[in-house]
Amino acid sequence: MGRTANICVSAIFCLAAGSAQAGGGAIVNASIHTLDADNPGAEAMAWDDSGRIVYLGTAEGLNEAHPDLEPTDLDGRVVLPGLIDAHGHVMGLGLARLQADLVGADSVDEVIERLQAHAENLPEGAWLTGRGWDQTRWEGREFPAAADLDEAFPERPVYLVRIDGHAAWANSAALDHASEDLSGDWHPQGGAIHRDDDGQPTGILIDTAMPFIADAIPEPSGEEREMALDLALDEIARYGLTGVHDAGTSLADFTQFRQRDEAGDLSVRIHALADGDADMLDWLCDNDPFAGDRLNARGVKLYTDGALGSRGAAMLADYSDDAGNSGLLFHSDEELRELVDRVIGCGLQLGIHAIGDAANRQVIDALAAVGPDHPDNAGRHRIEHVQIIAVEDIPRMAEHGIIASMQPIHATSDMRWAEDRVGSERLDGAYAWQRVLDADVHLALGSDFPVEPVNPWLGIHAAVTRQDLDGNPEGGWLPGQRLSVYEALRGLTIDAAYAGFAEADTGSLEVGKFADFIVINADPYKVDPADLSEIEVLKTVVGGDVVFVE
């Protein structure tokens, strides 16, 4: 079962590449970090033909217990449990790889150059789409406008999503396709339309205003969706992810994942969180939670606010760099509680997007108010992001059993301008991973790909150092919130598994659990923290199936 992202090129890894050995498989001469407190290390491991671990210990013990197995000698290489990204977007990643990549563009001119190169391969009249622009990287840090795109693309519609997914930049040809008259002074609930002094749209749409243009873009074809999923699965396996919590799964996404799973062609375990109050939630409420082989769906992602970079995150007080603006709440308190009640009443888990301190408080209040009405619900509800939270609200998360699903790399991406947005006092609750742990809140870690890179070692580096890849700032940004290597790995293994109701099967290497593991080129406990980002995955195994070999 499973796709192999590459062919076997090393004799060390050739055994069982692409599938498990008949009767199971084994490794020896390995430095295995199990993340099991009762049995933290081993040098040999074996699994049966169901893909579950049957032995952990010494090479001698393996030979005695399973003499018929032919183990692969790893020549001392390091083995970890497979990493689980607790917040990613599988189809978003694949579809982004079919669009213009604007990540890292340092100016409007560079964006246009990348767009022109991408447009060379598009048919005449097709929409030009892209993702990843970030005005905070540009001189002046001002939002761009349609006029910046119009000279290069006077007729082709252009629609570009900001790096955080919470703002869009459209040219005039795209604005002509708007489903609503965007002029005037009105804004949708939970969104905003940037306008000039004459009340005309400038081309920037925030959050719930984005569909006014996005809905006009033709849906990708079935062939394009299959290509996108292939690209996403290959990249996920390449970086050692054996599990992903898919934050915002549409019914079309779920159907595609399910088809792959039933065909034995899903190379990662997916914990699907349905995309908001839409068709996937309806399906779950009608059909109960779904459990396949490597796919399960028992949760729902709701949204309460926008993003900090576009000043859409809902704050308890105004932005420090934008007086009069405290961000955008997508729902009134009553509306959110009604949604929460519906989801919990269907027996489902909630994962609620909340970035600003007002949004985080609104979510905690809603879960505290509604949760007791549904004692049979399994709980483990989550707040996705928890980027800025009032410090006094952190213990309330523990009180109500709320999981913090956070993305360490957001801190090092945002630290250039976060204090400008919220001021120094509110930084006490900014990307506050250690405060979350100190309050006995479960901390599940992820990346939010494709907002950030898939590579989990970039996030681990950010968690441990709170520095960028150039070592800035010296000593780390808000260094009191740094995590240890163990804490960072636990967030991507044991606690991520817990957040997906999978701790009995994954998250650590233990007898009875799945043989989900990675082989890497260095020991994260021994390398200089500055070098954590350089760790490379040599092999990714899911349930005994090799899905990637370097």
Side-chain angles (χ1 to χ4, degrees):
M1 174 178 178
R3 307 172 68 252
T4 302
N6 204 339
I7 62 172
C8 182
V9 295
S10 168
I12 292 173
F13 299 136
C14 281
L15 185 61
S19 62
Q21 289 187 69
I27 55 174
V28 295
N29 194 15
S31 178
I32 303 173
H33 296 297
T34 67
L35 270 79
D36 173 16
D38 295 329
N39 184 27
E43 65 177 10
M45 180 171 66
W47 55 93
D48 62 17
D49 56 7
S50 73
R52 290 187 181 271
I53 298 169
V54 294
Y55 178 82
L56 274 162
T58 65
E60 292 80 4
L62 172 64
N63 186 54
E64 291 175 5
H66 301 279
D68 295 335
L69 289 176
E70 297 180 12
T72 300
D73 187 328
L74 291 189
D75 196 27
R77 284 174 170 78
V78 175
V79 172
L80 292 175
L83 303 181
I84 303 167
D85 191 312
H87 187 108
H89 307 277
V90 176
M91 288 305 299
L93 172 66
L95 292 170
R97 296 298 177 254
L98 300 179
Q99 301 175 345
D101 181 4
L102 307 179
V103 175
D106 288 325
S107 65
V108 169
D109 288 342
E110 185 176 347
V111 167
I112 291 173
E113 288 175 7
R114 294 192 192 187
L115 292 174
Q116 288 173 324
H118 188 77
E120 291 177 359
N121 299 316
L122 295 178
E124 185 176 351
W127 283 70
L128 173 55
T129 60
R131 179 168 182 147
W133 60 272
D134 180 0
Q135 85 284 358
T136 70
R137 300 180 61 90
W138 308 340
E139 185 177 352
R141 298 185 176 184
E142 298 296 328
F143 276 107
D148 296 316
L149 299 169
D150 288 345
E151 182 176 354
F153 305 102
E155 298 180 358
R156 185 189 297 278
V158 180
Y159 181 85
L160 311 174
V161 176
R162 193 180 183 276
I163 191 166
D164 55 17
H166 288 270
W169 171 20
N171 72 344
S172 295
L175 291 173
D176 289 341
H177 290 267
S179 60
E180 302 284 344
D181 182 356
L182 302 181
S183 62
D185 59 3
W186 65 278
H187 299 280
Q189 174 70 35
I193 301 165
H194 285 203
R195 299 185 176 94
D196 61 21
D197 292 341
D198 296 324
Q200 297 302 308
T202 66
I204 295 296
L205 307 172
I206 308 295
D207 288 310
T208 59
M210 295 166 64
F212 296 143
I213 304 294
D215 286 351
I217 302 173
E219 291 289 330
S221 67
E223 181 180 2
E224 288 170 328
R225 287 184 61 88
E226 288 299 311
M227 184 185 305
L229 183 53
D230 283 341
L231 291 170
L233 293 177
D234 285 352
E235 191 166 347
I236 286 166
R238 167 69 183 85
Y239 286 109
L241 296 177
T242 59
V244 172
H245 297 181
D246 191 54
T249 308
S250 69
L251 186 57
D253 297 342
F254 172 73
T255 300
Q256 195 172 358
F257 298 158
R258 185 175 179 180
Q259 290 170 345
R260 290 290 185 101
D261 193 39
E262 291 174 347
D265 200 26
L266 192 61
S267 57
V268 65
R269 302 188 194 280
I270 296 178
H271 176 66
L273 296 163
D275 188 22
D277 186 18
D279 53 3
M280 184 64 194
L281 172 56
D282 295 338
W283 188 92
L284 286 171
C285 287
D286 291 341
N287 293 278
D288 297 325
F290 173 86
D293 183 7
R294 294 182 179 171
L295 171 67
N296 77 78
R298 59 179 299 171
V300 178
K301 183 187 179 188
L302 299 179
Y303 305 80
T304 59
D305 68 345
L308 201 64
S310 50
R311 299 185 184 87
M315 305 300 296
L316 293 169
D318 287 354
Y319 279 91
S320 298
D321 60 355
D322 191 8
N325 176 23
S326 59
L328 306 165
L329 278 174
F330 288 8
H331 307 285
S332 68
D333 292 347
E334 181 179 357
E335 289 169 344
L336 181 61
R337 292 182 188 191
E338 288 177 355
L339 283 171
V340 167
D341 185 69
R342 183 190 178 201
V343 172
I344 296 180
C346 288
L348 302 171
Q349 177 192 38
L350 273 161
I352 307 181
H353 165 116
I355 289 181
D357 51 10
N360 277 283
R361 181 168 294 176
Q362 184 188 47
V363 172
I364 296 169
D365 288 346
L367 290 171
V370 175
D373 295 336
H374 301 276
D376 294 336
N377 185 280
R380 302 196 192 184
H381 305 303
R382 310 151 49 136
I383 300 181
E384 308 296 320
H385 306 307
V386 202
Q387 285 181 215
I388 310 292
I389 184 170
V391 172
E392 61 267 26
D393 283 334
I394 296 175
R396 298 180 64 214
M397 294 183 67
E399 177 186 353
H400 298 290
I402 301 169
I403 295 166
S405 173
M406 303 177 75
Q407 301 75 44
I409 199 169
H410 283 336
T412 51
S413 292
D414 297 354
M415 64 185 181
R416 293 175 290 115
W417 44 262
E419 186 170 354
D420 293 341
R421 290 284 190 276
V422 303
S424 59
E425 291 185 7
R426 286 184 282 193
L427 289 182
D428 285 346
Y431 315 86
W433 318 314
Q434 200 55 246
R435 284 194 176 88
V436 166
L437 287 181
D438 290 345
D440 293 326
V441 176
H442 281 281
L443 177 62
L445 300 181
S447 67
D448 202 11
F449 68 73
V451 173
E452 304 283 2
V454 176
N455 185 354
W457 294 101
L458 299 177
I460 293 169
H461 172 273
V464 174
T465 68
R466 291 184 75 105
Q467 295 175 316
D468 64 23
L469 297 181
D470 294 323
N472 296 314
E474 185 177 354
W477 182 61
L478 305 176
Q481 297 308 305
R482 287 180 300 202
L483 299 179
S484 68
V485 170
Y486 171 77
E487 289 167 338
L489 288 175
R490 182 182 173 107
L492 286 157
T493 53
I494 297 169
D495 283 328
Y498 176 86
F501 296 92
E503 72 275 12
D505 293 318
T506 64
S508 60
L509 297 175
E510 301 180 46
V511 171
K513 291 191 177 186
F514 283 115
D516 291 4
F517 65 94
I518 58 174
V519 183
I520 55 178
N521 70 339
D523 190 330
Y525 292 102
K526 296 179 180 179
V527 302
D528 188 301
D531 295 329
L532 285 166
S533 61
E534 301 299 318
I535 289 178
E536 295 181 0
V537 175
L538 305 176
K539 184 178 186 180
T540 305
V541 180
V542 179
D545 296 339
V546 179
V547 297
F548 169 78
V549 177
E550 194 270 341

